[in-house]
Amino acid sequence: MSTPSSKNLSRRSFITGAALAGTTAALAGLNGCAPAASGGSDAASGEAVSTTSHAWLNPAPELPETVAEETYDVVVIGAGIAGCTAAQAAAEAGASVYVAEKFEGVTAHGTDIGAVGSKLQQAEGVNIDKDLAARLIYQWGQSEANYYLIKTFVERSGEAMDHYIDMAVEAGYEVILNSEMTARSDWDTLDDRFKQFRTAHKFLLPEGSSLPEQPWNVGYFISMVAEDAQKRGAVFAFETAAEQLVREGDAVTAVIVRDAEGAKRINASKGVILATGGITDNEEMKRCFCPIALRADKSDYFPVGGNMGDGITMGSWIGAALSPCYPAPIIHPVNLSVMGPGFDTCWLTVNRDGMRYCCEVGFEPIVTNARMNTPGNVAWAIWDSHYPEHAQRQEPVKSASFMDGLEDKVEQAVADGAFFKSETLSELAEAIGVPADALQKTVDRYNSLCDAGEDRDFGVPPRFLSSVKDGPFYASNVSAWLLALPYGLRVDQNSQVLDTEDGPIGGLFAIGNAQGDFFANSYPVTLPGTSHGRGMTYGYLVGRALAGGTTIDGYAFGALQ
């Protein structure tokens, strides 16, 4: 198999990472997704019944005839951040590696890669309490996720990041700690509910660099590791779709892939790593496993059809279990505007009935989860003429990056129709279609809480309470964009895939969005960049371990160190 050209490696699709939930038995019954028999009769009437089922619940199809057979130590399915990192780590450790990717190039999307304890953080005096960080991520999942997977990420992501910082410097890239968008530099002092640490690492080109530009910062990282993997002999087979896993006895030994030449059997002497992404593009799986994601305004995943839950289907066919956790979709209030209910500011929000409905602190799962459960699935942020002062009080550090010319930008947003502006609240209510009397009552109540300096209704910290008193008044739609929907197979602390009896399946591992049990219920931004960081860390650890014929030695249950 020929290796891809540099053109293919530099091509950017878009992807985000993360992983989540549901054993077949436990989740199959959700939202009309119960397993269906392939045929039969109604017990009462005796009449034949037409039944259908989901692909992942059906028996595995017969293995196709193959036109060729190849053997490698490690086979990786998927060339996103997790898959490319796994390929690089395995190849660097001396393994022969094959990567199957159904699209024409590696995929990258997003800005931040999260890590805890990197040399860059240490150099900037960023010292994170690792026990607290792991505990907060676990608590966000309502105790459903596997704490030991989280603990391994927190303890070893700095090690992985340092490895790639060294590689980046040698390759001519720069790595900084980010404090933009979902990353904030001064939220570590907030209460645990809102606490956020400086974990977002951003790869970029230094000024004057001759290296090719990428539309996404994560693209620099993925290009770097994929190119390094190739230099070490890894074979990247693009436009090659993985169709089935081959299980022989207690272990997965091969993968059936299909390219333009036909089906091929790719043997894996040491193991197969599923890095197939989540279920962002699979409407059927979203309805079954995470119906709230269907209420998002749009999906920001590219290439379309990339995250179809391929790992779930292939894994289920050979007896793998789905994670029992409820999914934690990555849904952010991405307005991509100069202000409003987005990444940088927090304003009074109301639903279509003019009623306040949530804690407005811009901690993404709080804002977006609540928005998607509002009547009519629509909501509005409301602020007044004092927004420059409010913004600076809310974000005394971060506001410096967006205050210059802010008022002109807001007025331009009004002219463009992105924001609404009215001299009175009643006029604003009419403009956004909410009852004027209800909005006035809500504003009066909210202002009284602001004056008292205590939000007794939803618990917004005083720093973020911003009264709505003096016109002109402004409004902006509260958006909810689905960036990725991680959902994966059940794994143990070594990221090895488990069967329905919680026993390990030999030779099969899941990482990135296909790794279950890491997130549950709500995707937190306590550690910004965790989705990508989790993919990088487990790619590094699992790839290297498989090459050496071992496991990652993750934290064992009952054996915290």
Side-chain angles (χ1 to χ4, degrees), residues 213-292:
E213 292 189 6
Q214 305 289 352
W216 297 96
N217 292 96
V218 171
Y220 297 119
F221 177 88
I222 293 182
S223 290
M224 177 183 74
V225 296
E227 288 168 3
D228 187 83
Q230 282 196 296
K231 290 176 183 177
R232 298 176 187 276
V235 173
F236 279 67
F238 293 119
E239 298 183 295
T240 300
E243 292 188 342
Q244 287 182 255
L245 301 172
V246 179
R247 179 173 178 173
E248 298 176 316
D250 294 332
V252 169
T253 59
V255 180
I256 303 299
V257 303
R258 187 177 298 275
D259 62 13
E261 299 174 2
K264 299 179 180 181
R265 178 185 173 113
I266 310 298
N267 298 312
S269 62
K270 292 187 174 181
V272 173
I273 301 175
L274 294 172
T276 51
I279 62 171
T280 315
D281 294 317
N282 193 318
E283 295 298 306
E284 182 183 13
M285 286 187 177
K286 282 191 285 191
R287 290 187 184 280
C288 286
F289 303 122
C290 192
I292 196 170

Side-chain angles (χ1 to χ4, degrees), residues 15-18 78-88 106-109 112-114 161 164 203 218-219 221-222 225 275 511-513 529 531-540:
I15 189 173
T16 338
I81 189 169
C84 288
T85 307
Q88 188 282 326
V106 298
T107 57
H109 183 202
D112 301 326
I113 303 177
M161 180 58 73
Y164 293 113
F203 286 68
V218 171
F221 177 88
I222 293 182
V225 296
I511 60 176
N513 285 1
S531 175
H532 289 134
R534 185 260 307 247
M536 173 199 70
T537 301
Y538 277 96
Y540 171 76

Side-chain angles (χ1 to χ4, degrees), residues 97-118:
V97 179
Y98 178 97
V99 182
E101 168 56 53
K102 61 185 178 182
F103 290 106
E104 61 183 345
V106 298
T107 57
H109 183 202
T111 299
D112 301 326
I113 303 177
V116 180
S118 73

Side-chain angles (χ1 to χ4, degrees), residues 6-335:
S6 58
K7 177 182 178 181
N8 277 341
L9 278 178
S10 64
R11 179 181 176 84
R12 283 297 149 256
S13 309
F14 312 127
I15 189 173
T16 338
L20 318 131
T23 62
T24 300
L27 288 183
L30 287 176
N31 304 293
C33 292
S38 57
S41 62
D42 184 282
S45 66
E47 295 180 1
V49 184
S50 174
T51 59
T52 60
S53 185
H54 307 291
W56 64 93
L57 297 178
N58 289 337
E62 292 292 326
L63 294 175
E65 293 186 8
T66 55
V67 299
E69 185 170 337
E70 302 173 25
T71 299
Y72 298 83
D73 294 329
V74 176
V75 175
V76 181
I77 305 176
I81 189 169
C84 288
T85 307
Q88 188 282 326
E92 186 177 39
S96 59
V97 179
Y98 178 97
V99 182
E101 168 56 53
K102 61 185 178 182
F103 290 106
E104 61 183 345
V106 298
T107 57
H109 183 202
T111 299
D112 301 326
I113 303 177
V116 180
S118 73
K119 63 175 68 179
L120 180 57
Q121 289 166 320
Q122 293 170 13
E124 296 198 18
V126 177
N127 298 305
I128 297 171
D129 184 334
K130 292 183 177 180
D131 292 334
L132 176 60
R135 188 166 69 248
L136 291 178
I137 295 296
Y138 180 63
Q139 289 173 355
W140 265 101
Q142 301 296 307
S143 301
E144 285 187 11
N146 182 339
Y147 172 80
Y148 300 95
L149 287 175
I150 299 167
K151 183 68 172 175
T152 294
F153 163 72
V154 171
E155 292 290 343
R156 303 193 67 182
S157 55
E159 167 195 341
M161 180 58 73
D162 285 350
H163 182 75
Y164 293 113
I165 288 176
D166 290 342
M167 184 182 293
V169 171
E170 184 175 345
Y173 296 104
E174 182 181 359
V175 186
I176 65 170
L177 291 182
N178 191 26
S179 60
E180 298 176 348
M181 299 183 76
T182 55
R184 290 96 173 181
S185 62
D186 61 343
W187 280 34
D188 55 334
T189 60
L190 298 179
D191 292 342
D192 285 357
R193 183 185 182 192
F194 310 111
K195 195 179 294 293
Q196 188 180 90
F197 299 102
R198 292 197 69 193
T199 55
H201 293 68
K202 183 177 179 180
F203 286 68
L204 49 90
L205 292 183
E207 187 175 352
S209 174
S210 60
L211 292 168
E213 292 189 6
Q214 305 289 352
W216 297 96
N217 292 96
V218 171
Y220 297 119
F221 177 88
I222 293 182
S223 290
M224 177 183 74
V225 296
E227 288 168 3
D228 187 83
Q230 282 196 296
K231 290 176 183 177
R232 298 176 187 276
V235 173
F236 279 67
F238 293 119
E239 298 183 295
T240 300
E243 292 188 342
Q244 287 182 255
L245 301 172
V246 179
R247 179 173 178 173
E248 298 176 316
D250 294 332
V252 169
T253 59
V255 180
I256 303 299
V257 303
R258 187 177 298 275
D259 62 13
E261 299 174 2
K264 299 179 180 181
R265 178 185 173 113
I266 310 298
N267 298 312
S269 62
K270 292 187 174 181
V272 173
I273 301 175
L274 294 172
T276 51
I279 62 171
T280 315
D281 294 317
N282 193 318
E283 295 298 306
E284 182 183 13
M285 286 187 177
K286 282 191 285 191
R287 290 187 184 280
C288 286
F289 303 122
C290 192
I292 196 170
L294 297 170
R295 291 174 69 87
D297 300 323
K298 61 177 293 186
S299 173
D300 200 35
Y301 178 82
F302 295 93
V304 175
N307 275 210
M308 294 297 292
D310 297 337
I312 290 172
T313 300
M314 289 188 290
S316 297
W317 284 345
I318 55 90
L322 277 64
S323 167
C325 305
Y326 186 81
I330 303 176
I331 302 177
H332 287 347
V334 185
N335 267 22

